[in-house]
Amino acid sequence: MTTTVAAYAAPAAKAPLERTTIERRTVREFDVLIDIEFAGICHSDIHQAREGWGEAIFPMVPGHEIAGVVSEVGPGVTRFAVGDRVGVGCLVDSCRECDNCKAGQEQYCTGGSVGTYNAVGKDGEPTYGGYAQNIVVDENFVVRIPDGLALDVAAPLLCAGITTYSPLKRWNAGPGKKVAVLGMGGLGHMAVKIAHALGAEVTVLSQSLRKKDDGLKLGADHYYATSDEKTFQDLRGSFDLILSTVSAPLDFNAYLSLLKAEGALVNVGAPEEPISLNLFSVIGGGKTLAGSMIGGIAETQEMLDFCAEHGLGAEIELIAAQEINDAYERVLASDVRYRFVIDTSTI
Ligand SMILES: [Zn+2]
Ligand SMILES: [Zn+2]
């Protein structure tokens, strides 16, 4: 059984998104029906809608930064009730049995996790994301948005927030630690806020000084332009942790030189092309080059609670659904401060 729902979809790779309808399953035993109020636009929506990461499923309804209100629950649901403010991020299911799932790392499920869109669910049906009026999700993949967070600024936390919070926690960003955030976009601006709230000394490394005032206002202590060669001389050996949020190709050897001995450069951006690395860049100084992908469901809840406690929402530009295609172009041009969020009532 399904119900018909209005949505914005890409009908084919690289085609503009347009208004359409999709079928959502009716609520099953452990499902929650969420009336979506806001959906963030993540750079990865564009990668996938344009097949930058490989073959994709069309029509595609992107959107994995979803905030809304529960409007129906299945008979087996225990964690949510009608009227609850909730969010859904990048995953809507996983095997729940592998070591990673049992450890709360559903994002690294070896039995096959299910993406919120551009994936096929265990029922064999394609998944459709948040650029829609509602979504049906198993309660185990739904998180609670605390009252202190407005839903529009909370939506981007479901991807940009957890993607930066998880590695900052894992690599011990906190008091006494010097943390550099590479890139000052949707992910980067959240990394600055979260690293600052965790107590770290935060430096932004951005292409230019164009967003310097914003960066300092959001919690950065220092701000440098990577287009200036002097930055790499001045900051050599400076950081305990560099979090790269950049999805364009980078000179990783140059950035590794900015780490202290045994420091770590953690990558959450996802360039479409392989990188070139001189391994002496990590051998000298015993450095770590690492990756991190979103975070588990329990950690996503922890992140939302942390953000509510510290008053951290995303900086957003709220748009109508009709502006999605223009917004995509502006994201590609790095012309957004700092996350587009779709008011889904306009769909
Ligand atoms: Zn995302
Ligand atoms: Zn699993």
Side-chain angles (χ1 to χ4, degrees):
M1 292 259 291
T2 61
T3 53
T4 303
V5 176
Y8 259 71
K14 300 186 176 73
L17 276 73
E18 56 191 37
R19 189 178 189 278
T20 185
T21 59
I22 54 168
E23 296 298 313
R24 293 285 193 202
R25 68 174 186 257
T26 49
V27 167
R28 299 185 297 216
E29 187 172 6
F30 301 107
D31 281 342
V32 172
L33 173 66
I34 302 163
D35 285 345
I36 299 172
E37 296 197 4
F38 300 100
I41 293 179
C42 176
H43 203 145
S44 64
D45 297 348
I46 305 171
H47 284 295
Q48 293 181 76
R50 300 189 176 182
E51 288 195 327
W53 288 345
E55 202 178 319
I57 302 168
F58 295 94
M60 182 190 298
V61 178
H64 58 208
E65 295 184 337
I66 299 168
V69 177
V70 174
S71 59
E72 188 185 340
V73 296
V77 169
T78 57
R79 298 175 51 233
F80 298 99
V82 171
D84 285 355
R85 304 162 82 249
V86 295
V88 176
C90 302
L91 300 176
V92 290
D93 208 348
S94 72
C95 86
R96 311 181 196 203
E97 290 168 354
C98 71
D99 289 348
N100 293 336
C101 282
K102 284 181 179 161
Q105 303 269 42
E106 297 88 352
Q107 76 277 28
Y108 302 134
C109 174
T110 53
S113 60
V114 179
T116 303
Y117 66 89
N118 190 25
V120 176
K122 287 180 189 163
D123 58 5
E125 298 296 324
T127 58
Y128 296 117
Y131 300 3
Q133 289 175 327
N134 68 28
I135 190 167
V136 178
V137 181
D138 183 292
E139 69 166 335
N140 289 303
F141 289 80
V142 177
V143 287
R144 192 173 296 280
I145 296 177
D147 284 339
L149 276 175
L151 291 181
D152 54 354
V153 300
L157 301 179
L158 276 304
C159 176
I162 185 61
T163 297
T164 51
Y165 178 86
S166 182
L168 287 167
K169 287 283 283 193
R170 177 176 167 201
W171 299 95
N172 301 313
K177 291 294 172 74
K178 292 192 175 182
V179 174
V181 174
L182 181 48
M184 182 59 187
L187 291 169
H189 94 287
M190 282 313 307
V192 169
K193 289 189 178 204
I194 292 169
H196 175 70
L198 287 167
E201 182 178 333
V202 182
T203 299
V204 175
L205 303 173
S206 183
Q207 269 184 313
S208 73
L209 298 179
R210 200 161 49 94
K211 299 174 182 168
K212 182 176 178 180
D213 290 347
D214 287 357
L216 298 179
K217 207 163 55 191
L218 300 183
D221 301 287
H222 318 281
Y223 204 108
Y224 289 86
T226 55
S227 54
D228 184 352
E229 267 306 307
K230 200 166 168 296
T231 292
F232 291 88
Q233 293 157 21
D234 291 351
L235 298 180
R236 193 175 176 79
S238 291
F239 301 109
D240 298 287
L241 172 65
I242 300 174
L243 184 64
S244 172
T245 68
V246 173
S247 57
L250 287 177
D251 180 357
F252 277 79
N253 303 301
Y255 287 98
L256 285 162
S257 76
L258 304 184
L259 289 173
K260 294 179 185 174
E262 301 199 332
L265 194 171
V266 182
N267 197 70
V268 295
E272 294 180 0
E273 298 298 326
I275 64 156
S276 161
L277 182 70
N278 179 342
L279 281 174
F280 284 106
S281 300
V282 289
I283 291 171
K287 295 168 184 174
T288 300
L289 176 62
S292 182
M293 189 178 82
I294 49 177
I297 303 302
E299 192 176 37
T300 302
Q301 185 64 63
E302 176 189 311
M303 175 277 305
L304 287 170
D305 295 343
F306 176 87
C307 286
E309 189 185 320
H310 292 270
L312 308 181
E315 304 296 309
I316 65 165
E317 294 189 38
L318 194 62
I319 62 166
Q322 297 72 29
E323 300 171 84
I324 291 171
N325 293 304
D326 292 338
Y328 273 22
E329 295 309 317
R330 286 186 54 199
V331 170
L332 292 172
S334 300
D335 175 26
V336 50
R337 295 194 181 195
Y338 281 84
R339 205 58 149 180
F340 286 114
V341 171
I342 304 161
D343 175 351
T344 54
S345 69
T346 60
I347 290 175

